[in-house]
Amino acid sequence: MKTLVVIQARMGSSRLPGKVMLPVAGRPLLQRMVEQVAAARSRFELTVAATTDPADDPIGALCAAIGVPCFRGHPTDLLDRHARAAALAGADVVVKIPSDCPLIDPDIIDRVLSFFHRSEGSYDYVSNLHPASYPDGNDVEVMTMAALDLASREARRPLEREHTTPILWDNPHRFRIGNVAWESGLDLSMSHRFTVDYREDYDFVKAVYEALWTPQNPTLRLGAVLDLLAARPEIMAINARYAGVNWYRHHLGELRTVSARETRAPGDIA
């Protein structure tokens, strides 16, 4: 089976415009993100799914410079963008990873993909998000092309089109759903925020890279990041007020399988 990893990226973030091109350890954040994903040992092809908006031309130029395919699709319908990118690549299995996770551990990608492939067709969709346990920003979602196609044809609600996969994981009576929990037994999903959505998130990621990244050791691992945060709590504090904040809070009345315990408003735990 051909596996395609799709990194969704755009310049038009409402909270932090152009975040994917902000510098991290001397390179654009998106390039560091691609490097982390490419360090996984699993066999897959990789593409960046940007939008047709001319503002995303720098993403296309970066992808050309670093030798990564770039698909340009619908600006707001991410479900359509993923489905078209996957169809163009002839994928059998599609992995969705957002571009705002530049600290994603390649080993976690391997673990989720290994679970999916070992299950020998037992699941339509597998992630490490439902329920989540890893620090926010280690998001891996794997689905069959058949499931993605069906989702693209049938999804009607705006949240399903914008967020790509809710029609799958929020309908466990229709789709075979699997989840990979952190083998440590810990749950840091609401307390540790490694994703980039706000300026403080970028400052946090930049500080982590400045502390850990070297040309000799270019791949960051979860254990090393957690050790750094334990030793330097001032880095952990940079974006602490956004810990647990995610898009779920805007749709709690529409989602069947997400509760208020899985999201917070900015500043709730500051």
Side-chain angles (χ1 to χ4, degrees), residues 188-263:
L188 301 185
S189 61
M190 294 290 288
S191 59
H192 288 60
R193 181 180 173 87
F194 297 175
T195 189
V196 178
D197 205 19
Y198 300 93
R199 184 73 195 194
E200 293 94 328
D201 296 329
Y202 165 67
D203 292 339
F204 168 83
V205 166
K206 186 178 178 183
V208 170
Y209 265 86
E210 288 174 351
L212 295 179
W213 188 93
T214 68
Q216 296 75 30
N217 295 288
T219 303
L220 276 57
R221 305 288 179 177
L222 177 56
V225 176
L226 293 176
D227 287 345
L228 172 69
L229 299 181
R232 296 185 57 185
E234 74 276 10
I235 295 179
M236 179 79 170
I238 292 174
N239 66 342
R241 77 186 185 100
Y242 293 110
V245 174
N246 53 49
W247 65 269
Y248 297 154
R249 71 189 186 280
H250 300 300
H251 301 285
L252 287 177
E254 300 174 80
L255 296 169
R256 300 177 181 89
T257 61
V258 174
S259 73
R261 293 173 296 180
E262 296 167 81
T263 184

Side-chain angles (χ1 to χ4, degrees), residues 7-9 19-20 24 29-37 96-106 109 128-129 135-141 193-197 201 204-205 209 220:
I7 299 176
Q8 61 193 51
K19 63 184 178 183
V20 296
V24 174
L29 182 149
L30 178 58
Q31 181 173 344
R32 295 304 184 203
M33 171 82 199
V34 167
E35 291 167 353
Q36 287 289 113
V37 173
K96 173 183 177 288
I97 298 179
S99 64
D100 51 9
C101 299
L103 294 176
I104 191 168
D105 189 326
I109 299 173
N128 60 350
L129 298 172
D136 188 8
N138 285 281
D139 309 7
V140 184
E141 299 177 80
R193 181 180 173 87
F194 297 175
T195 189
V196 178
D197 205 19
D201 296 329
F204 168 83
V205 166
Y209 265 86
L220 276 57

Side-chain angles (χ1 to χ4, degrees), residues 8 74 76-86 96 143 147-168:
Q8 61 193 51
H74 198 285
T76 58
D77 188 341
L78 272 74
L79 178 50
D80 180 77
R81 203 193 311 171
H82 279 81
R84 290 181 182 273
K96 173 183 177 288
M143 68 213 79
L148 180 59
D149 270 340
L150 183 62
S152 184
R153 291 195 305 270
E154 295 193 4
R156 295 290 182 269
R157 295 184 297 167
L159 78 92
E160 294 170 337
R161 308 303 308 187
E162 178 184 358
H163 298 289
T164 310
T165 55
I167 191 173
L168 300 177

Side-chain angles (χ1 to χ4, degrees), residues 11 51-61 72-73 75:
M11 293 291 287
T51 82
T52 54
D53 190 322
D56 280 358
D57 288 351
I59 296 176
R72 307 283 294 265

